[in-house]
Amino acid sequence: MWMRGGTSKGGYFVASDLPSDIAARDKFLLGMMGSPDKRQIDGMGGADPLTSKIAVVKKSQRPGVDVDYLFLQAFVDKPVITDAQNCGNILVGVGPFAIERGLAQAKGEETAVVIYMENTGQIAEALVRTPGGMPTYKGDRAIDGVPGTASPIPIEFRDTAGSSCGALLPTGKAFDVIDGVECTLIDNGMPVVVMRASDLGIEGSESRETLDAHEELKTKLESIRLKAGPMMNLGDVTDLSVPKMTLVSPPRGGGAISTRTFIPHRCHASIGVLGAVSVASACMIEGSPAASMARIPGGDPKVLDIEHPTGAATIRVSGSGPNATAAVVLTARKLFDGTVFAP
């Protein structure tokens, strides 16, 4: 099944429908996507990392969990399938997909689907509207970066701090200095390096296309990323898609902070769900680059709009520190259901 989840899209598979051998599985998925080729002209990929994503779903054997979800990222121009990160956007489609495929059972007008994220060992709960016992994709929820409206799917993340790096702040510091730049190395569901845009010589309001063409900036970011990897307990990240690199600046649209994110070598059209959760968390850390310019609302939970090139991602944060919980409300849509072929 091909689905849009949040601001991404990709192929959703029942695990038993794919080869059990990882090498054979990856060969099939690369062929299906048309990678490696910058146009992905011979496959389903859309010549962009955001449209070259895969969800592998199976019924869970874990107590209190409905399904297990493995996220795989297909590189566009390299023959690489990686499970080194999670994806909160593709996660949004897992609940309705699981119900469509009979991996989870609808329970009235709304169905809670508890999802174990295999990449990080964490749990999320998705609330799917299921009138008549099946998911509905029609609704009035709009999200930035996606035209029109669709049925809202609230997602609550549990225990995401340190999901890939072992701790919310793997170095134990509000910031570290790498190549002369203050960087918060943080992981609240997605490993992210958060830096002031001004420290990299940009304003932070530039378009995605402008930043993608800024080779000097991209060289600086990659140098920082390669040094940050071992510091974040990720090891050599040369061939990995993490950590993400987020440049922050003061908000311009009434939100908490403005962002430009590289994933890791191309500027994101928006921001990943879990990346936004990590950035929101960085805004709450006293002394961090993000906190120095963020506008934090009062009360608890705090609702932070994380601005990005095409709008904002709204993150609701309850509590503080490693015990904080984060929730978002996004949408998904079934695009087609059928048979896909690989060479």
Side-chain angles (χ1 to χ4, degrees), residues 200-220:
L200 275 297
I202 67 169
E203 292 184 0
S205 60
E206 293 85 352
S207 70
R208 180 191 191 195
E209 292 74 20
T210 296
L211 294 179
D212 267 341
H214 196 324
E215 293 300 330
E216 182 181 355
L217 171 65
K218 292 164 71 173
T219 298
K220 289 179 181 178

Side-chain angles (χ1 to χ4, degrees), residues 247-260:
L247 305 168
V248 296
S249 58
R252 294 168 175 82
I257 201 162
S258 178
T259 65
R260 295 294 185 268

Side-chain angles (χ1 to χ4, degrees), residues 168-169 173-174 184 186 280-292:
L168 180 70
L169 298 171
K173 301 176 184 178
T184 297
I186 190 165
S281 301
C283 290
M284 307 295 293
I285 297 172
E286 186 176 353
S288 73
S292 70

Side-chain angles (χ1 to χ4, degrees), residues 96-158:
F97 173 77
I99 296 169
E100 293 250 17
R101 286 291 189 263
L103 302 175
Q105 300 304 311
K107 302 167 186 174
E109 292 297 302
E110 289 188 320
T111 300
V113 181
V114 181
I115 303 163
Y116 176 78
M117 298 177 282
E118 293 188 46
N119 303 73
T120 56
Q122 308 302 312
I123 289 176
E125 182 174 297
L127 193 61
V128 183
R129 291 183 179 177
T130 50
M134 288 297 287
T136 180
Y137 300 96
K138 294 182 178 180
D140 58 6
R141 174 73 180 188
I143 62 173
D144 287 325
V146 177
T149 62
S151 180
I153 303 178
I155 302 263
E156 180 175 302
F157 299 101
R158 304 177 188 171

Side-chain angles (χ1 to χ4, degrees), residues 24-40:
R25 179 201 70 187
D26 290 356
K27 180 180 179 182
F28 167 78
L29 293 175
L30 286 169
M32 174 200 72
M33 284 293 184
S35 297
D37 170 35
K38 65 181 181 179
R39 295 177 62 205
Q40 291 181 317

Side-chain angles (χ1 to χ4, degrees), residues 169 171-177 181-185 194 196 285-289:
L169 298 171
T171 68
K173 301 176 184 178
F175 69 87
D176 294 90
V177 178
V181 177
E182 292 185 355
C183 306
T184 297
L185 311 183
V194 183
R196 295 181 190 89
I285 297 172
E286 186 176 353
S288 73

Side-chain angles (χ1 to χ4, degrees), residues 16 19 27-28 38 42 49 70 86 90 97-98 102 107 110 139 147 155 197 223 259 280 294 306 322-323 326 341:
S16 59
K27 180 180 179 182
F28 167 78
K38 65 181 181 179
D42 200 36
L70 175 68
N86 207 337
I90 292 297
F97 173 77
K107 302 167 186 174
E110 289 188 320
I155 302 263
S223 176
T259 65
I306 308 301
N323 296 319
F341 298 88

